[in-house]
């Protein structure tokens, strides 16, 4: 019975031919890979208007074959580890298709690229309870870098990790802790990860931390003939201390 089922499946379903080629084996953010391939029947005829999924460490990209059965995609590594990675092209037919799923893969070597961090707007001075805003951009060879994690530190203390958006911009809002001494401090934004396809250099600026004098507000209310409840709040701005 098992052999008969295999014979029926072989007679009714066919596995198409899927090819994949890359224009370079060493790829980087500055030099992305161009992926091309072709989907054909087992008899060599092109399969047009079919969806082919291209899987890379960055995720899955869907592309559609043209009238010649060919498809194209691009792989620009950003957060992938440096070294060899696998790129897969996969064809998944519809459930009512007579064709079977097929895939093919290629190996490329991811080379590291260093992006440039530029600070565009940083709050020049701040007190405890006030927002310290940090804005900037990251580019590599003039191209905006999206999805790159960055570490924001005030001298030796890390305050936040942010990611660049699709235009390569980042935006962080921080609150200075109350134990931060009042003086000029060095704020630095740099790459949060190393040994990746794209690392970032660091950019620094000086932020003045001003002395803050907390304000104590005290109130009282009588609860009965012999008892008074005293209450209060110590705050710097709108933040309790």
């Amino acid at each position: 019975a098992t052999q008969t089922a295999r014979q029926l499946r072989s007679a009714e379903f066919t596995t198409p031919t899927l090819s994949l080629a890359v224009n370079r084996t060493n790829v980087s953010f500055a030099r992305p890979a161009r992926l091309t391939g072709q989907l054909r029947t087992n008899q060599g005829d092109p399969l047009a208007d079919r969806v082919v999924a291209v899987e890379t460490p960055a995720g899955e990209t869907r592309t559609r074959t043209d009238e010649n059965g060919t498809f194209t995609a691009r792989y620009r590594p950003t957060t992938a580890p440096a070294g060899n990675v696998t790129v897969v092209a996969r064809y998944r037919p519809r459930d009512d298709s007579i064709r079977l799923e097929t895939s093919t893969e290629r190996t490329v070597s991811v080379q590291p690229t260093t992006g440039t961090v530029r600070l565009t707007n940083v709050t020049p001075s701040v007190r405890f309870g006030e927002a310290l805003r940090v804005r900037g951009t990251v580019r590599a060879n003039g191209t905006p870098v999206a999805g790159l994690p960055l570490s924001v530190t005030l001298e030796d203390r890390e305050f936040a990790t942010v990611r660049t958006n699709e235009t390569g911009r980042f935006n962080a809002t921080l609150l200075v802790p109350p134990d931060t001494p009042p003086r000029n401090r060095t704020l630095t934004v740099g790459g949060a990860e190393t040994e990746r396809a794209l690392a970032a250099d660091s950019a620094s600026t000086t932020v003045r931390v001003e002395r803050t004098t907390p304000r104590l507000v005290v109130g009282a209310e009588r609860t009965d003939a012999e008892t008074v409840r005293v209450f209060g709040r110590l705050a710097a701005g709108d933040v309790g201390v």
Side-chain angles (χ1 to χ4, degrees):
T2 301
Q3 184 175 0
T4 301
R6 289 175 180 171
Q7 290 173 343
L8 288 173
R9 184 172 180 81
S10 176
E12 294 177 358
F13 295 93
T14 61
T15 301
T17 300
L18 180 63
S19 64
L20 177 65
V22 294
N23 66 330
R24 55 173 55 95
T25 56
N26 292 327
V27 302
S28 66
F29 184 89
R31 301 184 68 210
R34 184 173 183 268
L35 313 173
T36 58
Q38 191 172 43
L39 182 66
R40 291 180 174 272
T41 67
N42 61 342
Q43 296 177 340
D45 299 321
L47 288 170
D49 199 31
R50 301 299 200 279
V51 174
V52 175
V54 178
E55 303 166 4
T56 69
E60 181 180 285
T61 301
R62 294 195 171 197
T63 183
R64 193 173 290 273
T65 59
D66 61 15
E67 65 275 8
N68 297 315
T70 60
F71 63 91
T72 61
R74 188 179 69 166
Y75 174 46
R76 185 193 293 275
T78 301
T79 58
N84 291 342
V85 299
T86 300
V87 177
V88 179
R90 191 181 308 277
Y91 169 61
R92 300 185 183 95
R94 299 188 316 181
D95 292 340
D96 59 353
S97 174
I98 63 171
R99 296 182 177 87
L100 301 173
E101 178 178 323
T102 186
S103 65
T104 186
E105 62 184 45
R106 292 291 181 270
T107 299
V108 296
S109 179
V110 173
Q111 308 296 310
T113 298
T114 301
T116 301
V117 178
R118 186 169 73 92
L119 299 175
T120 58
N121 193 323
V122 178
T123 305
S125 64
V126 66
R127 289 179 171 84
F128 170 70
E130 296 179 343
L132 171 57
R133 294 182 173 86
V134 182
R135 295 182 176 88
T137 62
V138 181
R139 288 177 172 265
N141 289 46
T143 302
V145 178
L148 184 68
L150 299 170
S151 176
V152 183
T153 61
L154 199 59
E155 293 195 349
D156 58 349
R157 188 169 186 173
E158 182 174 342
F159 276 77
T161 299
V162 297
R163 285 185 180 271
T164 55
N165 64 15
E166 63 277 2
T167 63
R169 292 183 172 87
F170 61 89
N171 185 351
T173 301
L174 318 173
L175 289 177
V176 177
D179 60 350
T180 304
R183 61 181 174 85
N184 289 342
R185 317 283 292 189
T186 300
L187 182 138
T188 302
V189 179
E193 298 178 350
T194 59
E195 299 182 359
R196 298 281 174 173
L198 186 62
D201 62 6
S202 60
S204 300
T205 190
T206 299
V207 175
R208 177 66 183 176
V209 178
E210 303 286 356
R211 183 179 300 277
T212 303
T213 302
R215 185 168 57 96
L216 178 62
V217 178
V218 179
E221 65 178 5
R222 182 179 295 277
T223 58
D224 55 40
E226 298 181 353
T227 305
V228 175
R229 187 175 72 89
V230 179
F231 55 89
R233 183 173 187 264
L234 183 64
D238 296 327
V239 180
V241 177

